[in-house]
Amino acid sequence: MGVKVKVILLPKSSNAKTGNVIQSYSSRSTCPERCPFKDDKGCYADGLRTSRIWDRCENPKDARFISNEKELKVALTGFLLERTYKDPRAKVLFRHNVAGDIAIKGTSTIDANIVKALSNAVEFANSISTGNLMGYTYTHCEISANSAKVIHEAASKGFLINASCETVREVLHAKGLGVDAVITSVKPEKTIRELKDNGLHGVQCPAQLGQLTKLGQVTEGMTCEKCRLCSLHREAIVIFEVHGRAHKRATKVIMLKQQNSSK
């Protein structure tokens, strides 16, 4: 049966920003204690539509419920084969956790068993199909030397974990351990300058902007499905402008955290 994973897995998405990607949700119990947006402090996933699915993540009666590694392998492989039937070369994104995280319950430590189950499932699907499934997620878990090893091992199997940050200091820490990073920002242009001052290249989420510039050309209607930046090992720091129904609360949390970081 393998490791228990307890997720809701969706074969496709109708979200205009993400595009049609495979998506999953994990329960609130997987969110780390150190996440600054927990407990009604601005989490974007507390929106009505997202939370409706989020609250069913430990309900085995839900037809979309996945309970263990074996089931995840079978489901992901099936979804991948469906997507690549007409075009075997098609790149297929699997975004783990539209809501939820990968922490051991009640801690801020990455659950290495869960990560192994997820990366094993991606690796298995790719071994059966064309090797074009690109798995990724974001985490507010503590990025330590030990967790970095877990993250690197997962990446070697095709599952990339991004460190979710709110300060440049956190970004520098993650990058110092070889971990890809994203940062949520109140003012993206300011954050780009701050990153540059620290020798880092920042780029605002192309899907959030709705466009991607390449060689001076602009592509309208950009989505995560087309962009794939967060699923790739890269030098660039992806910047997300604070968003969601509770963006005002999130903005206050970020600004306070940045003030404390600068002390």
Side-chain angles (χ1 to χ4, degrees):
M1 297 293 287
V3 175
K4 291 183 179 180
V5 291
K6 294 184 179 180
V7 299
I8 293 291
L9 187 67
L10 307 178
K12 59 183 180 180
S13 169
S14 59
N15 186 297
K17 176 182 174 291
T18 64
N20 188 16
V21 304
I22 300 170
Q23 296 183 328
S24 69
Y25 291 70
S26 297
S27 72
R28 295 173 189 269
S29 66
T30 63
C31 291
E33 293 301 301
R34 70 188 295 273
C35 177
F37 305 117
K38 281 190 70 169
D39 302 323
D40 202 30
K41 292 180 181 176
C43 178
Y44 77 92
D46 276 324
L48 181 61
R49 185 176 181 181
T50 302
S51 61
R52 188 178 296 163
I53 300 176
W54 199 9
D55 290 335
R56 295 180 63 85
C57 286
E58 294 196 38
N59 182 358
K61 294 182 179 180
D62 192 301
R64 303 162 297 182
F65 182 76
I66 299 292
S67 66
N68 58 62
E69 181 181 327
K70 182 179 179 180
E71 290 180 2
L72 184 60
K73 286 180 176 178
V74 171
L76 279 180
T77 302
F79 295 161
L80 180 60
L81 290 172
E82 287 176 9
R83 295 289 189 89
T84 57
Y85 176 73
K86 292 184 178 180
D87 183 3
R89 297 173 298 177
K91 298 292 185 181
V92 180
L93 283 191
F94 163 45
R95 177 186 173 181
H96 179 55
N97 287 344
V98 173
D101 209 304
I102 51 175
I104 296 173
K105 186 176 181 179
T107 76
S108 293
T109 303
I110 285 180
D111 190 328
N113 290 326
I114 292 296
V115 171
K116 186 175 182 180
L118 289 160
S119 57
N120 282 348
V122 172
E123 184 179 49
F124 177 81
N126 279 327
S127 71
I128 299 298
S129 185
T130 56
N132 288 344
L133 182 64
M134 304 171 71
Y136 71 104
T137 192
Y138 309 91
T139 184
H140 267 111
C141 286
E142 180 183 1
I143 305 300
S144 63
N146 286 334
S147 61
K149 291 179 182 178
V150 173
I151 291 170
H152 297 324
E153 176 65 23
S156 72
K157 296 180 180 181
F159 184 67
L160 190 137
I161 301 172
N162 293 279
S164 291
C165 307
E166 289 76 45
T167 69
V168 173
R169 180 179 292 181
E170 288 176 323
V171 171
L172 288 167
H173 174 72
K175 293 295 285 184
L177 290 169
V179 176
D180 291 280
V182 300
I183 184 170
T184 303
S185 171
V186 177
K187 297 180 179 179
E189 291 184 0
K190 180 181 178 183
T191 300
I192 289 174
R193 292 194 298 270
E194 290 175 346
L195 289 169
K196 186 176 181 180
D197 290 342
N198 284 275
L200 298 171
H201 175 61
V203 57
Q204 190 170 352
C205 168
Q208 196 174 53
L209 288 173
Q211 61 187 33
L212 178 65
T213 302
K214 282 188 177 180
L215 301 177
Q217 297 181 342
V218 177
T219 302
E220 300 295 340
M222 183 53 59
T223 63
C224 299
E225 181 183 15
K226 295 176 183 177
C227 175
R228 303 195 292 270
L229 191 57
C230 289
S231 67
L232 300 170
H233 180 53
R234 61 192 186 274
E235 289 300 319
I237 311 303
V238 180
I239 302 168
F240 295 106
E241 186 170 10
V242 63
H243 61 287
R245 187 180 65 172
H247 70 277
K248 291 184 179 179
R249 273 172 286 172
T251 295
K252 291 180 180 179
V253 168
I254 292 170
M255 293 180 71
L256 180 61
K257 187 172 180 179
Q258 289 176 342
Q259 288 173 8
N260 291 335
S261 177
S262 64
K263 293 179 180 179

